[in-house]
Amino acid sequence: MRLSFVIPVFNEEETIHTLYDEIMRNTEDHEKEFIFVDDGSTDSSYEKMQALAKEDPRVIVIRFRRNFGKSAALKEGFQYASGNIVFTLDADLQDNPAEIGKFLEKLDEGYDLVSGWKKKRHDPIEKKVLSRFFNRVTSWVFKLRLHDYNCGFKAYRKEIVEEIDVYGELHRYIPVLANSKGYRIAEIPVDHRPREHGKTKYGVERYMRGFLDLLTVRMITGYTRSPLYLFGGWGIVTMAIGFIIELYLTILKFGFGQPLYNRPLLLLGLLMIMVGMQFLSIGLIGELLVNLFRKRSSNSDVSVKSVLNAPPKD
């Protein structure tokens, strides 16, 4: 089994060598490689990684010109990973490499992605509360029960990182994207150590972006193949409400002779009908674009696990 460790780094000069040594001690029986991605560090992190690369040819160092974010770092690192099992973990030493064996045992049970769960977190109370709320909402929306979507300590089978495109801030939703393609997801509690060096790179705005990304992921996992199901559904509901309002006002006008010029409800009904028609139009345009894309692209949102006794495709 060959293991690839993809490690995003941003100003972690004091922890790089220690992390490397800990991973080495806990993976002595495995062939491995290290892929450090310097995400625009302004300290001596790159020099530390550069020294490791000179000492060990299994260390690959990728350097960004500026800070592009964790998703970009993971995406770039995945492209260089050659192992059949890919680990991601943070460089701040809060993820304990002693847990690597537990991830491998869970993968041996037949799972394709194993996500860590920082059951006992060593973080400020406000970060714990926001994280718990975020995880519960995400689990409810996607029907994938995980306690800790934000944990960077994960293990993947190689086919997942080859198939899933990560951009923006979508790294925390990789389990959702993998689950939507039929991969088996598991979660295990992991040891979360207190931060001893440096400072956290994330604040409250991280969760604000996370909820916006939630809408993106909900769209691409549920309505990519047929956007009319989303926009058309809302359009029909909105138009129906508008028609009911107008029908009610029509009965008042012709059945009871009541004037309508002073009723704001008349304008509300007309607005609902117009908005509903716009929703339907957006859905239909989306269907046309999806159909056009499928004709021009060989990419598919279907994940094929295996094919038996079939001739090769042209």
Side-chain angles (χ1 to χ4, degrees):
M1 183 180 295
R2 180 175 174 84
L3 309 180
S4 295
F5 293 92
V6 178
I7 307 170
V9 178
F10 181 61
N11 292 342
E12 301 288 358
E13 59 184 359
E14 298 172 302
T15 63
I16 292 169
H17 277 280
T18 304
L19 178 60
Y20 170 83
D21 292 337
E22 289 190 7
I23 294 175
M24 290 291 290
R25 286 199 303 270
N26 287 281
T27 57
E28 293 179 350
D29 299 330
H30 297 284
E31 185 181 355
K32 52 191 163 289
E33 66 179 359
F34 299 82
I35 304 166
F36 289 96
V37 184
D38 181 9
D39 189 18
S41 296
T42 55
D43 60 3
S44 63
S45 294
Y46 178 71
E47 287 72 21
K48 301 285 186 181
M49 292 182 283
Q50 194 176 38
L52 277 179
K54 291 179 180 179
E55 297 172 5
D56 188 346
R58 295 171 297 183
V59 174
I60 300 171
V61 179
I62 304 167
R63 189 182 192 186
F64 288 172
R65 295 184 183 275
R66 65 171 178 83
N67 180 254
F68 285 95
K70 191 171 184 178
S71 288
L74 291 177
K75 180 178 181 178
E76 194 69 22
F78 287 159
Q79 295 180 26
Y80 288 86
S82 61
N84 54 330
I85 302 297
V86 179
F87 277 87
T88 60
L89 64 165
D90 295 334
D92 56 15
L93 293 182
Q94 289 192 271
D95 296 331
N96 189 349
E99 306 281 2
I100 291 172
K102 295 181 181 179
F103 282 88
L104 296 177
E105 290 174 3
K106 203 67 178 178
L107 288 171
D108 286 341
E109 295 178 14
Y111 292 98
D112 302 300
L113 188 159
V114 182
S115 181
W117 169 23
K118 296 171 287 190
K119 192 171 184 178
K120 186 177 180 180
R121 296 188 61 166
H122 296 277
D123 288 320
I125 184 64
E126 65 274 9
K127 193 172 181 180
K128 293 180 182 179
V129 172
L130 286 171
S131 179
R132 185 171 300 176
F133 176 70
F134 171 82
N135 287 311
R136 287 186 176 179
V137 171
T138 305
S139 295
W140 174 75
V141 170
F142 296 108
K143 305 298 185 293
L144 177 62
R145 178 60 177 168
L146 294 180
H147 296 86
D148 194 355
Y149 278 89
N150 288 307
C151 182
F153 203 177
K154 292 181 174 67
Y156 315 78
R157 296 194 186 277
K158 179 65 180 300
E159 52 266 33
I160 292 181
V161 302
E162 290 178 333
E163 187 171 348
I164 292 177
D165 185 25
V166 183
Y167 60 92
E169 294 282 336
L170 298 189
H171 58 273
R172 60 177 61 89
Y173 292 109
I174 292 179
V176 173
L177 298 172
N179 183 65
S180 71
K181 292 181 175 292
Y183 290 106
R184 296 186 64 195
I185 315 299
E187 184 180 51
I188 60 172
V190 294
D191 177 28
H192 185 243
R193 301 182 292 193
R195 176 184 274 273
E196 297 181 0
H197 305 283
K199 60 181 181 180
T200 182
K201 312 301 188 300
Y202 302 102
V204 176
E205 70 281 356
R206 172 193 188 188
Y207 295 97
M208 296 176 61
R209 293 195 302 267
F211 280 111
L212 294 175
D213 289 328
L214 184 147
L215 299 177
T216 300
V217 176
R218 186 70 187 96
M219 182 69 184
I220 64 180
T221 58
Y223 303 102
T224 301
R225 285 175 289 180
S226 187
L228 186 60
Y229 289 168
L230 173 64
F231 295 104
W234 282 106
I236 291 173
V237 170
T238 307
M239 289 177 64
I241 294 174
F243 277 120
I244 291 172
I245 292 174
E246 297 303 319
L247 178 62
Y248 167 72
L249 294 176
T250 301
I251 293 173
L252 290 181
K253 172 67 176 176
F254 295 101
F256 300 93
Q258 295 187 14
L260 302 180
Y261 67 88
N262 61 344
R263 287 182 173 270
L265 203 59
L266 176 65
L267 296 178
L268 177 63
L270 292 173
L271 178 63
M272 297 287 281
I273 293 173
M274 293 174 63
V275 170
M277 293 177 65
Q278 288 181 327
F279 271 128
L280 280 172
S281 299
I282 292 172
L284 291 171
I285 293 172
E287 290 286 339
L288 291 173
L289 292 175
V290 168
N291 185 59
L292 180 63
F293 173 79
R294 288 186 182 279
K295 288 181 178 180
R296 293 188 175 184
S297 173
S298 60
N299 295 331
S300 172
D301 53 7
V302 175
S303 177
V304 178
K305 186 173 184 179
S306 63
V307 179
L308 298 178
N309 297 332
K313 292 184 177 180
D314 296 334

